[in-house]
Amino acid sequence: MIDQIKGLHHVTSMAADARTNNAFFTHTLGLRRVKKTVNFDSPDVYHLYYGDETGTPGTVMTYFPFPDIARGRPGTGEVGTTLFSVPKGSLGFWQERLSGLGLNGMKADEAFGEKRLHFSGPDGDGFALVEVEKDSRAPWTAGSLDADHAIRGFHSVSLRLRDEGATKELLSFMGYQPLESRDGVTRMIVPGGNDAHTIDLETMPSIARAAQGAGSVHHVAFAVENRQKQLEVRKALMETGYQVTPVIDRDYFWAIYFRTPGGVLFEIATNEPGFERDEDKAHLGEALKLPSQHAHLRSLLEQHLQPLEG
Ligand code: ZN
């Protein structure tokens, strides 16, 4: 077992329209856009990052808006729901706010003693807000929401699996401990984690494998403090038989990726160097930032990429 992983780092999904995506996360959900950049492999596509004030690992939802891509078909082998932590007693406010903004698919329930409100994103993305009493993270409050209501970061993700066995074993190796199993869902937690330290495994033996598209989670990233710890994790995973990519520089963190036995793509990302690497804290997410290998495309991309505001 390894002990370098502290919970979630970011969750990356796909969307069909950049402007709708930006409005949903900054206005509807009240997160801060902490980076506006492009996809390393397809620089004509944005990579948008939303989180708390500085994009603290465990708060960062990221998107690739591929213009007009088809919707994904939900199924197994993917993240089913991405859950955000909100203050105790705030779900009534959220229900009113989201229904006032015309959101559909809202459903309130309770799991593992926590109240939740499920809803769908612009592309059918599966989201929920969870009331959490003890969450020490400060939310972003210079946007559309105040501290009594604002999202404080991820609570968890749920993985939809045909069989939980091998994924449960992998997460245990990654430092997660099973907390409880209820109604076909196993909850796992990293002790001493970063508040985004929960994963739920949902077993759905008769559900077909998902087809990815708009509204699907592309991968889920776990946080390690630095590059040294990342190398330790990479070595341990490889020794256990996982095929892990080399370390890739993603400008705001270093990343390694591997496919899990249940089908979900996992990434391990470093907390360093973070989003203030190339922008002042006061202006995070405002300017179009380009990876150095795409810098020569700036004037082309500025014309091609859809404006997010206005
Ligand atoms: Zn990632």
Side-chain angles (χ1 to χ4, degrees), residues 14-40:
M14 293 177 285
D17 182 79
R19 191 192 288 243
T20 305
N21 181 257
N22 181 71
F24 183 77
F25 282 93
T26 59
H27 176 67
T28 306
L29 296 188
L31 300 182
R32 184 182 198 191
R33 191 176 72 228
V34 292
K35 199 60 65 183
K36 177 166 79 168
T37 181
V38 296
N39 185 305
F40 277 87

Side-chain angles (χ1 to χ4, degrees), residues 10-12 47 49 62 64 218-221 250 253 255 257 267 269:
H10 63 270
V11 176
T12 294
H47 193 182
Y49 292 76
T62 101
F64 299 128
H218 183 265
H219 63 266
V220 51
R250 292 303 190 197
F253 46 86
Y257 304 85
E267 173 184 339

Side-chain angles (χ1 to χ4, degrees), residues 49-239:
Y49 292 76
Y50 311 99
D52 69 359
E53 184 177 18
T54 57
T56 306
T59 75
V60 186
M61 185 80 219
T62 101
Y63 269 86
F64 299 128
F66 288 97
D68 304 318
I69 53 162
R71 260 196 194 190
R73 191 194 65 230
T76 48
E78 66 173 356
V79 171
T81 311
T82 302
L83 300 97
F84 297 96
S85 164
V86 294
K88 195 108 181 151
S90 68
L91 283 187
F93 162 87
W94 275 104
Q95 185 140 23
E96 229 167 85
R97 174 181 177 82
L98 296 181
S99 68
L101 291 166
L103 258 77
N104 44 41
M106 264 195 285
K107 191 181 106 212
D109 72 358
E110 201 170 318
F112 300 98
E114 295 170 329
K115 286 188 176 151
R116 313 191 289 193
L117 179 65
H118 295 261
F119 58 98
S120 300
D123 296 295
D125 328 47
F127 292 126
L129 301 169
V130 189
E131 286 190 0
V132 180
E133 187 142 34
K134 287 185 186 132
D135 188 330
S136 56
R137 298 174 291 179
W140 166 244
T141 53
S144 49
L145 294 166
D146 62 35
D148 292 339
H149 305 111
I151 287 172
R152 291 174 299 196
F154 292 121
H155 168 276
S156 57
V157 291
S158 75
L159 310 183
R160 281 195 295 241
L161 306 165
R162 294 193 73 135
D163 175 84
E164 70 170 22
T167 305
K168 190 174 169 187
E169 203 172 295
L170 166 63
L171 285 165
S172 301
F173 180 72
M174 289 167 62
Y176 281 78
Q177 293 179 4
L179 187 72
E180 205 183 337
S181 292
R182 249 192 237 179
D183 308 322
V185 180
T186 297
R187 171 155 292 191
M188 301 187 77
I189 289 194
V190 186
N194 64 4
D195 281 318
H197 54 230
T198 302
I199 302 266
D200 285 341
L201 306 181
E202 293 180 65
T203 303
M204 301 175 152
S206 56
I207 304 293
R209 204 172 156 131
Q212 294 224 313
S216 307
V217 172
H218 183 265
H219 63 266
V220 51
F222 295 85
V224 291
E225 197 182 324
N226 56 38
R227 298 186 73 185
Q228 179 55 42
K229 298 214 158 139
Q230 181 180 54
L231 288 176
E232 291 165 14
V233 171
R234 182 170 186 275
K235 183 164 179 280
L237 287 168
M238 305 257 295
E239 281 169 2

